[in-house]
Amino acid sequence: MTEIIEKTKFQQLISFISKYRFICFMILIIILKHLLLTGLPIFAHPGADHDDGMMVKMAESLMNGRWLGDYNELTLVKGLFFPLFLAINGLFGIPYSISVPGFYTIACVLFIFGTKKLFKNELPLYILFAVLMFMPISFANETFTRVYRNSLIAGQVLMIAGSLVALYLNRFEKNKILIIWSLLSGLAVASLWHSREDGIWIIPLTLGVLLISGMTILVKKELSKKEKVKKGLIVSLPIVILICTTVLISTINYGVYGVYTTNELNDSNYTKTIKLIYSVEATEAVHNVSVPRSSMEKIYAATPSLNAIRDEIDASMDRWSWYDQA
């Protein structure tokens, strides 16, 4: 009797694995990947006030309820998302060595489920998932092992691509399914947009997918006008989420610092000033230098306000020149 029961359980297990073989494969790959990451060293440059050090200080301020800390020339030059990610890790006691690989793993899973309709059978999905999970960048120095925003970028790109593809592929499916992918797309796009100040490159892809999806919904004869409106509104959710998060962060920054922007590099008086500085023609060309000393001399002569802080600017340029040669 016991043997029969055990045989039945074994048969049920085999049947379960056969039915959900791809899910089981994914679980095995995830376990193997995270075992390989055990003991992988994590490091940061605490003295890098423009990079690692800044991110950690901003995260500590968030955890202590002080928003991004005291306002200075560095407070609003980089995105909020990575410090927020660190703060959440700290609040819930999640080790960085688990949260970053976990974030990338979730991104790989989302990408696979978002794109699986592109394939007629599961075989390419096995290969694609394994390749993504063992991508060298997910073990690399200066990305996943460094406490800096670059550790999340690969995962964010996978999330954006996977969810946008899924949004397009499911545009004629039930609205509940479409809402899920639309929300995921919006959150993924917003996370990258608020991670880097150069996130503008994701906008053409996002707008392109949303416009194509919206147009194909509009011309679909089988859909009623009411259904077209519903689906059109759902497809627009990523843009709504991006705008809402931008307004929210800008509003908080205005309340705390008196500056209505998410990033002073992209939208502030600094942005206007640096564009004017870049427009000054240099006397000589210096490799990899956008504003050489000759341009600064012209600017000092024409701008009393900048000339008044000439010593500080020159000292900063000397310091960065030393770093470049070190």
Side-chain angles (χ1 to χ4, degrees):
M1 186 68 178
T2 303
E3 292 180 358
I4 294 174
I5 293 174
E6 290 179 352
K7 186 176 181 180
T8 302
K9 288 182 177 179
F10 179 74
Q11 290 174 339
Q12 290 175 343
L13 177 62
I14 296 298
S15 177
F16 177 85
I17 294 175
S18 178
K19 184 177 180 179
Y20 298 102
R21 56 187 179 275
F22 182 60
I23 301 296
C24 294
F25 173 80
M26 294 176 74
I27 293 172
L28 287 175
I29 291 293
I30 290 169
I31 292 173
L32 177 59
K33 168 65 178 292
H34 285 260
L35 284 175
L36 290 174
L37 292 174
T38 303
L40 195 68
I42 303 298
F43 73 96
H45 300 297
D49 292 333
H50 297 81
D51 298 312
D52 312 36
M54 179 197 295
M55 299 286 105
V56 173
K57 290 175 183 176
M58 291 167 71
E60 289 176 345
S61 295
L62 286 168
M63 291 176 65
N64 294 324
R66 297 189 297 110
W67 193 228
L68 301 177
D70 297 331
Y71 181 72
N72 56 48
E73 74 277 9
L74 300 177
T75 306
L76 299 179
V77 299
K78 293 197 176 179
L80 169 70
F81 186 77
F82 184 72
L84 181 62
F85 177 82
L86 290 180
I88 293 172
N89 286 347
L91 289 172
F92 290 95
I94 306 172
Y96 188 81
S97 58
I98 293 177
S99 63
V100 169
F103 183 88
Y104 182 74
T105 297
I106 292 171
C108 291
V109 172
L110 190 150
F111 182 85
I112 289 298
F113 282 102
T115 59
K116 68 177 184 178
K117 281 190 173 183
L118 296 173
F119 306 101
K120 294 181 179 180
N121 57 68
E122 288 185 338
L123 179 59
L125 296 177
Y126 286 88
I127 299 171
L128 182 59
F129 185 70
V131 169
L132 288 175
M133 283 297 292
F134 293 106
M135 192 75 71
I137 194 175
S138 64
F139 298 88
N141 190 20
E142 294 293 331
T143 52
F144 276 51
T145 61
R146 181 181 174 185
V147 183
Y148 191 50
R149 61 184 181 179
N150 293 345
S151 61
L152 300 183
I153 302 302
Q156 289 170 322
V157 172
L158 284 175
M159 288 181 178
I160 292 171
S163 57
L164 284 175
V165 169
L167 184 150
Y168 173 78
L169 295 176
N170 291 280
R171 65 198 185 283
F172 300 131
E173 299 294 335
K174 293 181 180 179
N175 286 341
K176 290 182 179 179
I177 297 175
L178 186 58
I179 287 173
I180 291 173
W181 287 114
S182 189
L183 287 173
L184 287 173
S185 299
L187 293 173
V189 170
S191 75
L192 182 56
W193 181 262
H194 297 300
S195 290
R196 299 185 61 88
E197 58 278 5
D198 57 357
I200 189 68
W201 57 270
I202 64 171
I203 299 302
L205 170 66
T206 303
L207 290 179
V209 173
L210 298 185
L211 285 173
I212 293 171
S213 300
M215 290 300 294
T216 53
I217 289 170
L218 186 63
V219 300
K220 185 75 170 178
K221 295 180 179 180
E222 292 80 1
L223 295 176
S224 65
K225 290 183 179 180
K226 184 178 180 180
E227 190 64 16
K228 287 179 181 180
V229 171
K230 285 183 179 180
K231 287 188 177 292
L233 290 174
I234 293 171
V235 165
S236 67
L237 278 176
I239 299 302
V240 173
I241 291 172
L242 181 57
I243 293 173
C244 287
T245 54
T246 300
V247 170
L248 176 61
I249 295 170
S250 297
T251 302
I252 295 174
N253 285 337
Y254 183 77
V256 177
Y257 305 121
V259 183
Y260 188 83
T261 186
T262 60
N263 190 294
E264 288 189 317
L265 292 183
N266 291 335
D267 183 22
S268 68
N269 289 330
Y270 167 83
T271 312
K272 301 171 185 176
T273 302
I274 199 65
K275 286 181 179 179
L276 290 174
I277 290 174
Y278 285 150
S279 68
V280 176
E281 186 176 351
T283 303
E284 84 284 10
V286 182
H287 183 61
N288 286 339
V289 176
S290 301
V291 185
R293 305 277 179 162
S294 62
S295 295
M296 291 307 300
E297 291 298 330
K298 294 179 181 180
I299 294 168
Y300 292 145
T303 315
S305 57
L306 279 181
N307 191 53
I309 56 172
R310 175 174 183 160
D311 291 342
E312 290 88 341
I313 295 175
D314 286 344
S316 179
M317 293 178 71
D318 290 339
R319 184 166 61 253
W320 283 106
S321 178
W322 181 85
Y323 283 134
D324 186 54
Q325 297 173 16

